[in-house]
Amino acid sequence: MSNHLSQQHCPLENTSTFAEEKPNIPSTIPPTNADTLFEAQTYLRLFSHEQNHSLLDIQRLADVTHEIQQTGTYRQTDEELVYGAKVAWRNNTRCIGRLFWKNLLVRDMRHLTTAKDVFQALVEHLFIATNKGKLKPVTTIFAQQLPGQEGIRIWNPQLIRYAGYKQADGTILGDPLTVSLTEQIRRLGWQGGAMTPFDVLPLVVQMPGQQPQLFELPSESVLEVPFSHPEYAWFTELGLKWHALPAISDMSLDLAGIRYTAAPFNGWYMGAEIGARNFGDERRYNLLPLIAKKMGLATNSTRTLWKDRALIELNVAVLHSFAQQGVTIVDHHTAAQQFIQHERQEKAVGRRTPADWGWIVPPLSGSTMPVFHCEYENTIDKPNFFAQPLPY
Ligand code: ARG
């Protein structure tokens, strides 16, 4: 999914919603039976066409229709679920990594009913997906939202995220992105971590109609990469690191009239997500001034391009360090090429590749990549992964 998903700082926008987030939130109005049926039918047609080379499985449609009329929803077959999750990835217009959509490993955890079991399945997800550094795209799907009820929610935006502590002097220790979540988690009784810039947050799992529950991740389940630079020896002393696995855990899988409100998924990082956005954004770790100073660049004029030069070296360090530790990562040039290959592959089977240009073009060196020079249509098809309202 989206490769640089995080809040952008738009100086002209002083609302709390950010430009990047807006279009991705679908209606939260409960669907009518007719809506559910329509979406089910649309997907079953796609499923039959793409999987079985037939028009539609009439018997299956009749069964689904009956179940929706009786209960307001229905249960998907394993095959419908697995393929639907893959197509949701393929349809997500913000993801540059979609070439690999067929390789998604889908874990069906719809039978779990307690927060503790959900947490355990999340830990398993981390081990399977991290795979000792040889990352695998994985999604774990928990029970669907039922009519008239809340769905299961994981409060954390990602399974692995660093805490952001607002300090007495107003400065933030850690990741500014998670300040409000960190406060919520402390309210739930978390004592806080070791007070470093990289304290892994515990997970919050909330079952429908229940209180949220807090779970500390075992440290063995969190692979991290310490950063060094191939030429600058001083880089190591900065003590920077990042987690290996980007696993989005707050989006809802909207699949054929069913909402899976807890369906965490991961791919692997494109270096720029960390090197440009997480570390470079002023509203995140804001490391460019520090790197520039260490590089001895003149920061008194923007014309020296000190930000650009620091940005490049930071990104070199990220890619170098992941490679050195044997952890999967893709550089933005390769990712852009893979995306073009994906478009070609899709075209060959008669499909278009809608995309969100502002998300597909990597956050540095844009014009050096083919995607910059392409125009895309940003059509939101389902199945898809959507943002959902904050649960707290
Ligand atoms: N941009 C997010 C981050 O830096 C991760 C979003 C998903 N990225 C991915 N490569 N699957 O943590």
Side-chain angles (χ1 to χ4, degrees), residues 93 352-356 375-379:
T93 59
R352 316 156 66 79
T353 301
D356 187 340
E375 251 184 77
Y376 294 103
E377 231 178 328
N378 188 14
T379 321

Side-chain angles (χ1 to χ4, degrees), residues 1-6 158 161 242-243 246 248 266-270 273-274 278:
M1 147 81 243
S2 324
N3 270 307
H4 42 100
L5 181 131
S6 67
Q158 289 190 30
R161 282 274 93 164
W242 202 257
H243 50 89
I248 307 286
N266 72 275
W268 48 74
Y269 268 115
M270 176 174 76
E273 299 183 78
I274 305 167
N278 302 349

